[in-house]
Amino acid sequence: MAGGCLEVERRVLRLLHGHKNRNSLSAIHAHFLRHHLHQSNLVLAQFVLVCGSLNRMRYATLIFCQTQNPNILLYNAMIKGVSLCGPFEEALGLYSGMRSRGMCPDRYTFAPLIKSCVGLSGCGIGEGIHGGIVVSGLDSVCALQVGIVELYASFGRMKEARKMFDEMPRRSVIVWNLLIRGFCKRGDIEMGLEMFGKMSEQSIVTWNSMIGSLGQSGRDEEALGLLREMWDGGLEPDEATVATVLPICARMGAADVGDRIHSFVRSSGLWKKYISVGNALVDFYCKCGNLDIAAQVFDEMPRKNVVSWNSLIFGLSLNGQGELGIRLFEDMMQKGLKPNEVTFLGALACCAHAGLIEKGREIFNSMINKHHTEPKHEHYGSIVDILGRGGCTKEAYVLIRSMPMEPNAALWGALLGACRTHGDLEHGEYAVKELINLEPNNSGNYILLSNMYAEEGRWDEVENIRVLLKDKSVRKEPGHSAVV
């Protein structure tokens, strides 16, 4: 390549290294086209890597398809870019195309291929890639060994993951974390704890993973014990620790631990850096029933997202402050923030707890007509609950019948309960028939209808229910007292 072309190539590479945004890609592309560098594998490989980092792999693929003689450098760049953005199956297609051209893969080929297999949930394909690594004589490369551990651990194949781990001469904190997370994800918390105890030095990621796994397994007390051990050992929590531990504190009623975390995040400045920390605190104080501090944290947050608003709206509904929750919801709308499905669920819960039937109708209708958000079963359940509490059982029944998806047992059960409360035998009978189809062995549905007939003095119908229970061999759950 002539000296002038080499200088242009270096200039293009510098431009690519200093890229700022997606819009600059077209300008850089035009620049190297003008200087006839559109077949330079070095320039194209760097361009592809930049496309991958900016999630512009469609653009990269169009350029790659016009390349006459792509080399392994360009193929590796394409495979890496696709492994970052997807679709992951394209990485395997590129690998196949590379092999068909007689190119031998190297370590830079296999690392993103393993990542793509994890993204594809294809352990069988991953085993083939593992075999290719062995055949290529690259099975002693540390980065690939870590990738193989991640591959098998992701699919719960802990025997294979542990075998690879045991063969590694050097084990970083990363690979320890992968193995521990794999055991915990599979439900083998004891093995996760055993591996955790064998580590010479745990990172904050390791502690967070172990604490979170214990919490998810219902071992909240042990999780908080591990937090104290971490803290006493001089390792401070990070934003992930806070988001992991505060829900555990709420479940345990461990207000002292939650308050200590709150003090720490204020003194460390974590609450200013990470929205997730403020959101976790709002959620924690709401679940503990301390709405004043929850509102104070919310007001002091330097930045808020939709999760922040949702947390407080839901918290107000849970604590019987539905009207305040609706005011907060309306304030959110006035500020121009876009609500999501969870926001509407919280607002409807507020209406249900506060008995705001008309407001509930308004919010549900605005969800569909104004915000173009498709209601899920949970949203229909909330509006049925609102209408049922207000005695609008016929309207609730018509709404259930108009749903675009099949109603579930929870919806018909909510309607049946409302019909029982308000003495609407007609729609209660409709609800029971649907429930019997969905839950033929649930004796509670039959008993509710039987009680409704009894309240109306329709004893023949009560007897028919008893016969039906007997014919269907449905066992009535015996009554019991909570007094001991």
Side-chain angles (χ1 to χ4, degrees), residues 142-164:
C142 183
L144 296 182
Q145 290 175 329
V146 173
I148 292 165
V149 171
E150 180 181 12
L151 173 74
Y152 288 121
S154 297
F155 300 110
R157 300 272 294 273
M158 298 313 298
K159 182 179 179 181
E160 292 87 345
R162 181 66 186 267
K163 184 176 184 296
M164 185 75 262

Side-chain angles (χ1 to χ4, degrees), residues 183-184 187-197 210 214 217 219 222:
F183 279 119
C184 292
D188 194 345
I189 304 296
E190 295 306 325
M191 183 56 73
L193 283 168
E194 182 183 322
M195 299 297 295
F196 178 79
M210 203 66 250
L214 286 167
S217 301
R219 297 164 67 165
E222 290 176 78

Side-chain angles (χ1 to χ4, degrees), residues 37 79 99 103 134 138 159 189-190 195 238 247 272 288 299 312 344 350 384 390 394 405 442 444 478:
L37 293 172
I79 291 171
R99 297 305 302 267
M103 297 180 196
V134 173
L138 297 169
K159 182 179 179 181
I189 304 296
E190 295 306 325
M195 299 297 295
D238 65 3
K272 290 183 178 179
C288 290
D299 290 338
L312 191 52
F344 286 111
C350 286
V384 166
K394 181 179 179 180
M405 73 279 281
N442 185 346

Side-chain angles (χ1 to χ4, degrees), residues 242-305:
V242 174
T244 300
V245 168
L246 283 176
I248 298 173
C249 293
R251 288 197 299 269
M252 290 282 291
D256 57 331
V257 182
D259 289 340
R260 183 182 175 188
I261 291 171
H262 189 183
S263 298
F264 169 75
V265 300
R266 289 190 71 84
S267 61
S268 65
L270 276 179
W271 70 284
K272 290 183 178 179
K273 295 178 186 175
Y274 302 101
I275 296 177
S276 60
V277 170
N279 293 345
L281 282 168
V282 171
D283 182 67
F284 165 71
Y285 283 116
C286 283
K287 286 176 178 174
C288 290
N290 200 332
L291 294 179
D292 289 340
I293 298 183
Q296 181 184 338
V297 172
F298 178 84
D299 290 338
E300 291 177 352
M301 287 174 68
R303 290 176 296 126
K304 301 179 183 72
N305 59 14

Side-chain angles (χ1 to χ4, degrees), residues 38 66 79 91 110 122 131 136 145 148 152 185 233 236 249 277 302 378 408 419 428 430 436 456 458:
H38 55 288
Q66 297 168 18
I79 291 171
F110 285 118
S136 301
Q145 290 175 329
I148 292 165
Y152 288 121
K185 183 181 176 183
E236 293 185 336
C249 293
V277 170
E378 295 82 0
N408 57 21
C419 290
Y430 290 139
I436 287 172
E456 292 284 323
R458 295 169 60 174

Side-chain angles (χ1 to χ4, degrees), residues 452-471:
M452 290 173 70
Y453 285 138
E455 287 165 5
E456 292 284 323
R458 295 169 60 174
W459 302 108
D460 289 342
E461 300 291 353
V462 172
E463 184 59 30
N464 289 338
I465 292 288
R466 288 177 182 167
V467 172
L468 186 62
L469 278 168
K470 185 177 180 180
D471 290 345

